[in-house]
Amino acid sequence: MISKKVILTGSFGVGKTSLFNQFVHSRFSDKYLTTIGVKVNKKVVNIGDEELSILLWDIAGEVSQDKVPVSYFLGANGIIYVFDLTRPTTYKNIMEDINYLKGLLPDGVVKIVGNKKDLVTESEIEGIKQDMALDCDLFTSAKTGENVEELFVLLGKEMLGEVAS
Amino acid sequence: MSLILKHKREKLEKQSQFIFIDNQGFVTDSCDSIFKTDGLLHQHIAEWFPFLESIYDHVAAKKVEEPEFRFSRLNAPFSLLPGIYDFVFSKVLIEGKEVLLWEIHDYTTLYEEFIRQQQACNEIIIKSERINAIQKVLQTQRINLSKRNADLEQLQKIRTKYYKKIEGGILQIERRATPHLLAKKIKDRETIDYITAIEHSLLQAKDFVEELIILTNAQDNYEFTEQSFEIYDLLNTISFRFDEEHANSNIELSISVHKDIPEKMIGNFTYLKHLIGGLILNYAKIIQAGIIEIQLAPTTIQQANLIKIKFYLQSYSINGKLPIYLGKVKRFNNHDNHDFGDIKSEIELRLSIIRHFVEQHQGKFSVESDEDNGVGISFTFPYVLSEEKL
Ligand SMILES: Nc1nc2c(ncn2[C@@H]2O[C@H](COP(=O)(O)OP(=O)(O)O)[C@@H](O)[C@H]2O)c(=O)[nH]1
Ligand SMILES: [Mg+2]
């Protein structure tokens, strides 16, 4: 079975651990427990009729991406950059962060995700899209599970495409 | 060996484990100071747990002369390693053979205090940011409301007063929390609890403003085209909306209609739906758990085609059918003004919203709460009976 390493990154409190728990264990908690360092787990997803094992790294949110230890990115195939739709400070530096991450992982797939969709309205999302320097790939809710599975399937497809080429 | 060296070795030995791995990926030796490897020796280390799976190929490809790889602060990487560890990988020469050395350093106790501090700082930062965001929403809503007609001036006054309190609260947060944040050190839970309370009040304020807007919108859209409608349609719509919003809550709605209530009456259905629905939802927020019983009863009939209907809301605890008593409601009755801008008293604020709207629509409002009978609120509106019925 093909396996790929995927890193969840972004500022603290945006919901990385919650996305991780929703994806791997299908559970959610309202309680906030800060993550320090990194936690790794895996889950197998079906992409079409192929099975892909995703090794997911949930890393402690740093305010700026260049504070994350570079060794964490070793051998990664994909990055999910998460921000919080309710907190503008979490997407303020998105341009610099994404450029930095793409520099670390030139061949990796990077997905930009706005989380906590359940807390904002569609029109608020439209406003945020306009404010942002970059396009987002998906809007998720780790709480309701909306678009969580979809996120990993989308990422998985692109990572497999990269293998084929 | 000197005593001090012996002591040092004993102490340090427990904090780290060294493991040798051959070039096939199997363990050849381990000091087992942190966890026992015997049950795992037949397995390739990449199969031990997902972390090793994701880095094995890279560390195995290392050369002797290359610098070591360090992975810091691994959080419970494995059921036998439940704390926080650093893993260090390097290639070493042992008796002329290249071996992969995996060092595990246990830093669990080192990080305990650090995690506590970080947790506190992060919580405060997140909360302060949220509060600022809510404040922005409230500011824009203030502008929207002030554009509306003079009828709303009274509402605007309640709101402004409430808003002032909130601004005061935000200043307090800044004054209290900023020094802690700058020092990256929170000494106790007090600041966090305080900020949590302010955040809670703000969320209430936001809810409150949203409700005002819904109710005032309903009022704006109120057209004087009244038509005949069925009371059961009204009740069904209200109960449907209630179920939607309270699907996972601890509140149930029960409705009873007196036999003298006519089936049809004249009024603006959409408007009534919003108004009465809004009042009931507001009441639900006051009691938070239990059963709300709505009783519809006619009061005195003054004219042949006019009826006054009393909506009586009584709340019970879910199990024992004990009425819910709210001491604060009693206080509400003792005051007799609309001045409920106090940030601490959500109940009074909500009651004042209900009262305000009822009175604005020629209704009568009253509230009772005592230890024997719990809390009940009632509002009475005059309705014209439908011609069809007469
Ligand atoms: N409403 C809502 N809350 C969320 C969502 N995702 C995370 N949270 C909450 O946000 C806080 C921080 O989440 P966490 O996953 O620890 O963030 P991390 O620091 O990025 O790992 C927690 O209190 C979560 O319960 C979401 O999609 N919706
Ligand atoms: Mg986390």
Side-chain angles (χ1 to χ4, degrees), chain A residues 16-17 33-35 58-59:
Chain A
K16 298 180 295 297
T17 302
L33 281 176
T34 182
T35 313
D58 171 26
I59 64 182

Side-chain angles (χ1 to χ4, degrees), chain A residues 13-18 28-30 32 115-116 118 141-143:
Chain A
V14 297
K16 298 180 295 297
T17 302
S18 305
F28 175 81
S29 158
D30 273 320
Y32 173 50
N115 186 43
K116 307 199 188 175
D118 56 294
S141 166
K143 184 167 187 170

Side-chain angles (χ1 to χ4, degrees), chain B residues 349-367:
Chain B
L349 185 74
R350 289 195 180 281
L351 285 173
S352 71
I353 299 173
I354 300 179
R355 171 147 83 185
H356 182 84
F357 276 97
V358 170
E359 287 174 358
Q360 239 187 357
H361 296 93
Q362 291 77 50
K364 266 218 160 78
F365 172 83
S366 88
V367 48

Side-chain angles (χ1 to χ4, degrees), chain B residues 93-328:
Chain B
L93 280 175
I94 302 292
E95 294 173 334
K97 261 176 56 190
E98 272 193 21
V99 175
L100 180 64
L101 167 63
W102 168 21
E103 298 167 31
I104 302 171
H105 302 282
D106 185 348
Y107 292 142
T108 311
T109 46
L110 185 76
Y111 281 117
E112 268 168 10
E113 177 57 20
F114 177 81
I115 293 178
R116 252 200 309 279
Q117 289 295 334
Q118 175 146 319
Q119 170 88 32
C121 280
N122 289 358
E123 266 181 48
I124 290 202
I125 293 171
I126 293 171
K127 284 181 197 303
S128 313
E129 282 177 18
R130 254 239 185 99
I131 287 168
N132 282 334
I134 299 171
Q135 191 187 14
K136 286 218 181 77
V137 173
L138 286 172
Q139 247 153 4
T140 52
Q141 281 172 340
R142 174 157 63 172
I143 296 159
N144 291 344
L145 271 179
S146 63
K147 283 196 199 121
R148 294 176 189 277
N149 61 40
D151 234 24
L152 296 173
E153 233 165 67
Q154 168 71 10
L155 269 178
Q156 183 63 22
K157 269 189 203 141
I158 304 179
R159 224 194 71 73
T160 308
K161 190 163 169 129
Y162 201 57
Y163 188 76
K164 281 232 171 71
K165 295 269 180 192
I166 293 161
E167 277 179 336
I170 287 169
L171 281 178
Q172 283 284 319
I173 289 182
E174 284 169 359
R175 202 169 57 77
R176 285 217 201 184
T178 311
H180 294 289
L181 290 176
L182 288 178
K184 283 238 171 211
K185 226 176 156 76
I186 309 321
K187 287 206 194 64
D188 44 44
R189 291 285 318 171
E190 197 201 334
T191 310
I192 301 175
D193 291 345
Y194 181 77
I195 292 197
T196 306
I198 295 277
E199 183 193 38
H200 188 67
S201 301
L202 267 173
L203 286 173
Q204 284 168 7
K206 188 168 166 254
D207 272 4
F208 163 63
V209 172
E210 271 158 14
E211 277 158 31
L212 287 188
I213 286 170
I214 291 170
L215 288 170
T216 49
N217 278 342
Q219 183 170 326
D220 277 0
N221 298 335
Y222 178 54
E223 288 164 30
F224 289 87
T225 51
E226 302 197 317
Q227 81 262 95
S228 157
F229 68 89
E230 289 194 19
I231 193 92
Y232 286 98
D233 274 349
L234 179 71
L235 294 172
N236 280 336
T237 320
I238 289 169
S239 125
F240 184 73
R241 178 170 165 215
F242 186 91
D243 289 346
E244 265 187 346
E245 300 207 14
H246 290 270
N248 299 313
S249 81
N250 294 321
I251 301 182
E252 288 166 26
L253 188 67
S254 119
I255 297 177
S256 65
V257 180
H258 190 277
K259 64 176 175 33
D260 289 346
I261 293 284
E263 280 170 25
K264 287 194 166 156
M265 27 191 185
I266 306 269
N268 184 307
F269 183 80
T270 317
Y271 175 63
L272 279 171
K273 179 183 81 184
H274 277 292
L275 182 66
I276 296 172
L279 298 178
I280 291 167
L281 290 177
N282 222 305
Y283 181 69
K285 287 195 178 143
I286 294 175
I287 66 157
Q288 286 171 8
I291 299 167
I292 296 180
E293 195 174 309
I294 306 178
Q295 298 163 17
L296 261 67
T299 59
T300 45
I301 297 175
Q302 294 161 332
Q303 293 161 24
N305 65 340
L306 193 75
I307 185 166
K308 277 191 178 164
I309 297 183
K310 187 169 174 184
F311 291 79
Y312 185 72
L313 272 54
Q314 172 80 41
S315 45
Y316 297 96
S317 70
I318 275 193
N319 300 328
K321 258 236 158 191
L322 280 172
I324 294 172
Y325 166 65
L326 296 167
K328 283 190 178 151

Side-chain angles (χ1 to χ4, degrees), chain A residues 3 12-13 32-42 55 57 71-72 74-75 84 86-87 89 116, chain B residues 50-51 53-55 58 69-76 84 111 115 118-119 122-123 125-126 129-130:
Chain A
S3 75
F12 61 85
Y32 173 50
L33 281 176
T34 182
T35 313
I36 84 151
V38 56
K39 183 143 182 91
V40 182
N41 218 322
K42 89 171 172 183
L55 289 155
W57 284 47
S71 67
Y72 287 174
L74 182 76
D84 183 339
T86 67
R87 288 165 55 213
T89 48
K116 307 199 188 175
Chain B
F51 173 82
E53 182 181 346
S54 60
I55 52 103
H58 301 275
F69 266 143
R70 177 178 282 269
F71 295 94
S72 325
R73 302 190 293 266
L74 300 177
N75 223 304
I84 292 165
Y111 281 117
I115 293 178
Q118 175 146 319
Q119 170 88 32
N122 289 358
E123 266 181 48
I125 293 171
I126 293 171
E129 282 177 18
R130 254 239 185 99

